[in-house]
Amino acid sequence: MKKKMLLLNTTVLLGLGGVLSTPAYASTIQDMESQKSQIQNQRQDVQSNIKAASNELTRLQAEQDQMKAQLERLTLAEEENNKKAQKTEADIKETSKQVDQLEKEIKLLQEKLEKRNDILKDRARSMQESGGNVEYLQVLLGSSSFGDFVDRALAVSTIVDADRGILKETKNMQDELKTKQADVKSKLASLEDMKAELDEMTVQLAAQKKQKDALAKELKDKEAKNEELKASLQSKDSSLANEQSTLEQNIKDQKAAEEAARKAAEQAAKEAAKKAAEQAQKAAAEPAEKADSPSPKAAPKASSNDVAPTSAPAPKASNVVTVGNRWIGNSAYVFGGGRSQSDINHGLFDCSSFVHWAYSQVGVNLGPLGSVSTETLKHAGTQVSSSQIQPGDLVFFDTYKKDGHVGIYVGGGKFIGAQSSTGVAIANMSSGYWKQKFNGRVVRI
């Protein structure tokens, strides 16, 4: 009977221990937890890349906004320059009409003077025939031209008052017309110089706008690719999130199954122990062998596999060479621009107004803003030798005319100024175009 009871108890204990140990469950959960950890690491990498892509998109958007503002500024400058070009063309046409009219008036005057010449000749002959003073006739015959005759005749004291009045009136008219003609031709030459600069500037602005459009397109393409990359990363992150969620649910289900198995094993152990006790009592009641049956050993408790939680992760004069840096890439050249607060607010300058603005920022007044020009600036300070040039000095260039462009020397063979092709920018005057145009004039303020 002892052997029989020992065999029964041993069988119960072995069966219970096999159920409670559940090595297959522990291995499966551990594998899934490992997979979950790997997925979490992958998601962290993906989310880091998504953040980097978002930051890049933000940076590109800022560049695009800045580029859009510059393109709008260039468009405004181009419109203003076109208006000025059209006005200049109209002024040239009007001035040309004035020149033509003056030439017609001069021609009529010359015809009138020729008639007066004939009258004066007749009067001179009459004086000779009547025995008058021959000095008048000698003046007439000895002159090289009618203009010379007028000058000579006015010097002759014997000319009658009527003749002298005619001659003086004629000379005054002739001098006035010559002065007007010279003034109009000078104005016409100046306007044509302006037109030449505006034509060149329009070409440069068109080229600059084309370049900016190409850059804007490049930025837009980069933004599209970055958006595509971000969308791809977000899709991958979503897929990993679903996979992680599935694993978490599987782990939960597996733990629930393990818990159910543990409870079932405990219940089976209790029932087996109860049955063994009943059989032991029954065996003890028999008159046969009386011996103590070994008491069943306490069933070992299965250890649970808890998942450890995962951890979660004031200006100075010397500053004149740099105050204009704020306009680099944020300005446009307008001929005659920069002479109103509206122009300045929009970054619209020409070369002389930019220099005036820059010096005003460090407390130096270079004269009335409305009349500033390269001509006024070259007399605004002391001229020094180009060999003594230092930062802050004004440098002049012969472009469409002598001293047609001005900038501020910044050192290292470079100057900052409002250039027609770039707006405010730093340019190299030690080589290339600006070296050829630099005329050696340096003015120290």
Side-chain angles (χ1 to χ4, degrees):
M1 185 64 182
K2 282 184 177 182
K3 291 182 180 180
K4 182 177 179 181
M5 292 301 297
L6 179 61
L7 180 61
L8 176 61
N9 290 333
T10 301
T11 301
V12 170
L13 290 173
L14 288 174
L16 183 59
V19 172
L20 293 178
S21 64
T22 59
Y25 287 156
S27 176
T28 301
I29 292 175
Q30 185 176 4
D31 289 344
M32 286 191 292
E33 289 287 359
S34 177
Q35 291 178 27
K36 176 183 174 182
S37 178
Q38 291 177 3
I39 290 174
Q40 287 175 331
N41 291 336
Q42 291 179 29
R43 285 197 69 192
Q44 287 179 355
D45 291 340
V46 170
Q47 288 170 353
S48 177
N49 290 334
I50 290 174
K51 184 177 180 181
S54 296
N55 291 339
E56 178 65 10
L57 283 172
T58 301
R59 187 188 69 80
L60 289 174
Q61 185 60 52
E63 285 189 21
Q64 280 187 317
D65 291 343
Q66 184 179 8
M67 187 60 62
K68 182 179 179 181
Q70 178 66 357
L71 287 173
E72 291 175 352
R73 191 178 295 110
L74 285 171
T75 301
L76 178 60
E78 190 174 23
E79 291 174 355
E80 290 297 319
N81 287 325
N82 285 333
K83 289 179 182 177
K84 291 182 183 296
Q86 292 171 3
K87 183 179 182 304
T88 301
E89 289 174 351
D91 290 343
I92 289 173
K93 289 181 180 178
E94 180 61 28
T95 306
S96 297
K97 290 180 181 179
Q98 294 176 12
V99 171
D100 291 341
Q101 181 62 31
L102 282 173
E103 288 176 347
K104 290 178 181 179
E105 291 177 5
I106 290 173
K107 185 177 180 181
L108 291 173
L109 177 60
Q110 287 173 341
E111 292 175 355
K112 185 177 180 180
L113 290 174
E114 287 296 332
K115 291 180 180 179
R116 291 189 178 190
N117 186 22
D118 293 338
I119 294 172
L120 291 172
K121 284 180 181 180
D122 292 340
R123 292 175 68 87
R125 289 192 187 96
S126 297
M127 289 183 66
Q128 184 182 25
E129 292 172 357
S130 63
N133 195 321
V134 297
E135 189 177 0
Y136 196 6
L137 181 61
Q138 290 174 344
V139 168
L140 177 62
L141 297 176
S143 59
S144 59
S145 65
F146 183 65
D148 184 37
F149 165 73
V150 172
D151 293 333
R152 284 168 172 260
L154 286 171
V156 177
S157 61
T158 58
I159 298 177
V160 296
D161 290 340
D163 292 344
R164 186 180 298 276
I166 293 173
L167 290 170
K168 284 185 176 181
E169 181 184 354
T170 301
K171 181 172 177 57
N172 290 339
M173 291 174 61
Q174 190 177 41
D175 291 343
E176 182 181 359
L177 285 172
K178 285 181 179 180
T179 300
K180 287 183 178 180
Q181 186 179 39
D183 289 344
V184 171
K185 286 185 177 180
S186 175
K187 184 178 179 181
L188 181 59
S190 176
L191 288 171
E192 287 176 345
D193 285 341
M194 291 170 59
K195 179 63 169 58
E197 184 182 68
L198 285 168
D199 287 343
E200 178 183 0
M201 180 176 53
T202 300
V203 172
Q204 291 172 336
L205 282 171
Q208 185 184 30
K209 188 174 185 301
K210 183 178 180 181
Q211 180 183 4
K212 296 292 184 181
D213 287 341
L215 183 56
K217 183 179 183 301
E218 180 182 352
L219 286 172
K220 189 173 182 180
D221 291 342
K222 284 183 180 180
E223 183 182 26
K225 289 181 180 179
N226 207 280
E227 285 281 11
E228 183 179 353
L229 173 61
K230 183 179 177 181
S232 175
L233 290 170
Q234 288 174 333
S235 176
K236 183 176 181 180
D237 182 63
S238 177
S239 176
L240 288 171
N242 290 335
E243 189 174 348
Q244 178 179 335
S245 177
T246 300
L247 275 173
E248 289 173 347
Q249 185 61 44
N250 289 343
I251 291 172
K252 183 178 179 181
D253 293 344
Q254 193 68 26
K255 286 182 177 180
E258 182 184 44
E259 180 66 15
R262 186 183 66 77
K263 289 181 179 179
E266 288 179 351
Q267 183 64 30
K270 288 179 180 179
E271 291 178 357
K274 181 180 179 181
K275 186 176 181 181
E278 291 175 351
Q279 290 178 351
Q281 290 176 358
K282 186 177 179 181
E286 293 178 359
E289 300 177 20
K290 294 181 181 180
D292 295 333
S293 61
S295 61
K297 296 181 180 180
K301 294 184 179 180
S303 60
S304 61
N305 293 323
D306 296 331
V307 180
T310 58
S311 59
K316 297 180 180 179
S318 59
N319 293 337
V320 72
V321 299
T322 58
V323 293
N325 290 350
R326 59 172 288 195
W327 295 116
I328 296 176
N330 298 304
S331 60
Y333 185 95
V334 172
F335 190 85
R339 287 164 178 78
S340 68
Q341 193 58 47
S342 176
D343 279 356
I344 293 173
N345 292 342
H346 288 89
L348 305 179
F349 296 96
D350 65 7
C351 61
S352 54
S353 66
F354 170 74
V355 169
H356 188 284
W357 174 87
Y359 268 93
S360 72
Q361 299 306 295
V362 296
V364 178
N365 186 355
L366 296 181
L369 176 60
S371 59
V372 67
S373 67
T374 54
E375 287 297 313
T376 63
L377 290 176
K378 73 181 185 182
H379 299 297
T382 303
Q383 296 200 27
V384 299
S385 170
S386 60
S387 62
Q388 298 175 331
I389 192 171
Q390 63 185 30
D393 290 344
L394 304 188
V395 286
F396 291 79
F397 305 85
D398 293 344
T399 51
Y400 72 102
K401 67 175 183 178
K402 185 171 180 60
D403 297 317
H405 188 68
V406 63
I408 302 171
Y409 187 68
V410 299
K414 297 180 179 180
F415 75 97
I416 186 170
Q419 277 69 262
S420 59
S421 59
T422 60
V424 176
I426 294 176
N428 190 351
M429 57 182 286
S430 60
S431 64
Y433 176 82
W434 292 112
K435 180 180 180 181
Q436 296 174 358
K437 297 297 182 181
F438 178 53
N439 61 17
R441 187 188 300 278
V442 178
V443 174
R444 184 160 298 159
I445 303 300

